[in-house]
Amino acid sequence: GQQLNQSPQSMFIQEGEDVSMNCTSSSIFNTWLWYKQDPGEGPVLLIALYKAGELTSNGRLTAQFGITRKDSFLNISASIPSDVGIYFCAGHDDKIIFGKGTRLHILP
Amino acid sequence: NAGVTQTPKFRILKIGQSMTLQCTQDMNHNYMYWYRQDPGMGLKLIYYSVGAGITDKGEVPNGYNVSRSTTEDFPLRLELAAPSQTSVYFCASSYYRVGVDQPQHFGDGTRLSIL
């Protein structure tokens, strides 16, 4: 079946640093989605990308839909403590396939 | 302002028992979804529904059943609980198909343990 490879699995950064994570797939998706999940809660949609090459921002978050429609990246600028959580990418065609997540930790 | 409500929040079952996980939404959304999330993993789609009376299988439907008799409710049933079904279950809804400028709204999850 379709699979998404999300990397890195975990990140440990200092507050104020920029963050970059990405997702790749062997299949083409029509839509790429990025979610954030806080402990004990359901995922919350951050950014949705609908067109190959599309670059979309949501505050300090920027995501791009790869030209080949097989990859996407998410950048977070100037990280703050509330950015801690798990970030999931998801590819959407007929159904939604989720990556395994990138766990973001911010060091004190 | 309830959004997507899941009950119960926690449950422990014995192997072979059955139970229904409840999900209701008050946003008049057409689409509803059930996911499971295993530790350290992303979400996997179990079943989804595009409207009342219509359901379809997702990525991992075996061992589960759903029904959609109303727009608001989308219960998930486990008939013969197995240890492999220990997971956190999330229900979600969207007005239209996700990817057409329609976000999914997730419930807070049901944590299910099968012993």
Side-chain angles (χ1 to χ4, degrees), chain B residues 6-111:
Chain B
Q6 290 184 237
T7 57
K9 293 190 184 302
F10 304 94
R11 185 73 183 269
I12 298 174
L13 285 181
K14 294 182 179 179
I15 295 172
Q17 284 186 320
S18 62
M19 79 162 293
T20 299
L21 282 67
Q22 301 291 345
C23 176
T24 187
Q25 51 91 10
D26 61 358
M27 298 172 282
N28 200 33
H29 283 174
N30 295 312
Y31 284 62
M32 295 188 75
Y33 315 78
W34 273 107
Y35 294 90
R36 59 177 287 172
Q37 185 178 31
D38 297 329
M41 303 290 284
L43 285 78
K44 293 191 175 181
L45 184 64
I46 305 172
Y47 270 96
Y48 67 102
S49 168
V50 304
I54 305 170
T55 63
D56 208 347
K57 294 179 180 179
E59 190 181 355
V60 288
N62 292 343
Y64 307 94
N65 281 302
V66 293
S67 59
R68 185 92 182 273
S69 56
T70 66
T71 299
E72 294 79 18
D73 301 307
F74 190 40
L76 176 72
R77 180 142 182 99
L78 284 71
E79 292 292 351
L80 288 172
S84 62
Q85 293 177 306
T86 294
S87 190
V88 180
Y89 291 84
F90 287 100
C91 178
S93 72
S94 59
Y95 183 72
Y96 194 59
R97 178 179 167 182
V98 173
V100 191
D101 200 22
Q102 294 292 333
Q104 276 184 319
H105 296 263
F106 280 84
D108 288 337
T110 294
R111 284 145 187 82

Side-chain angles (χ1 to χ4, degrees), chain A residues 2 30-31 33 35 37 39-45 50 86 88 92-101 103, chain B residues 33 35 37 39-45 48 57-59 90 97-104 106-108 111:
Chain A
Q2 292 172 312
N30 292 323
T31 301
L33 307 165
Y35 290 84
Q37 185 177 27
E41 297 184 12
V44 174
L45 183 66
Y50 304 110
I86 305 175
F88 290 100
H92 183 266
D93 200 343
D94 288 337
K95 299 183 178 72
I96 297 177
I97 305 295
F98 281 78
K100 293 183 180 180
R103 285 149 186 77
Chain B
Y33 315 78
Y35 294 90
Q37 185 178 31
M41 303 290 284
L43 285 78
K44 293 191 175 181
L45 184 64
Y48 67 102
K57 294 179 180 179
E59 190 181 355
F90 287 100
R97 178 179 167 182
V98 173
V100 191
D101 200 22
Q102 294 292 333
Q104 276 184 319
F106 280 84
D108 288 337
R111 284 145 187 82

Side-chain angles (χ1 to χ4, degrees), chain A residues 10 26 63 72 94 99:
Chain A
S10 294
S26 57
S72 177
D94 288 337

Side-chain angles (χ1 to χ4, degrees), chain A residues 16-20 59-62 74-80 83:
Chain A
E17 285 186 23
D18 296 341
V19 172
S20 184
R60 292 177 297 105
L61 278 63
T62 302
L74 175 71
N75 288 341
I76 305 172
S77 63
S79 58
I80 61 178
D83 291 335

Side-chain angles (χ1 to χ4, degrees), chain A residues 44-95:
Chain A
V44 174
L45 183 66
L46 299 173
I47 292 179
L49 302 160
Y50 304 110
K51 296 179 182 178
E54 180 181 358
L55 184 71
T56 297
S57 293
N58 178 7
R60 292 177 297 105
L61 278 63
T62 302
Q64 184 156 28
F65 192 153
I67 291 291
T68 64
R69 291 162 60 196
K70 293 183 178 180
D71 63 317
S72 177
F73 71 75
L74 175 71
N75 288 341
I76 305 172
S77 63
S79 58
I80 61 178
S82 61
D83 291 335
V84 167
I86 305 175
Y87 292 80
F88 290 100
C89 64
H92 183 266
D93 200 343
D94 288 337
K95 299 183 178 72

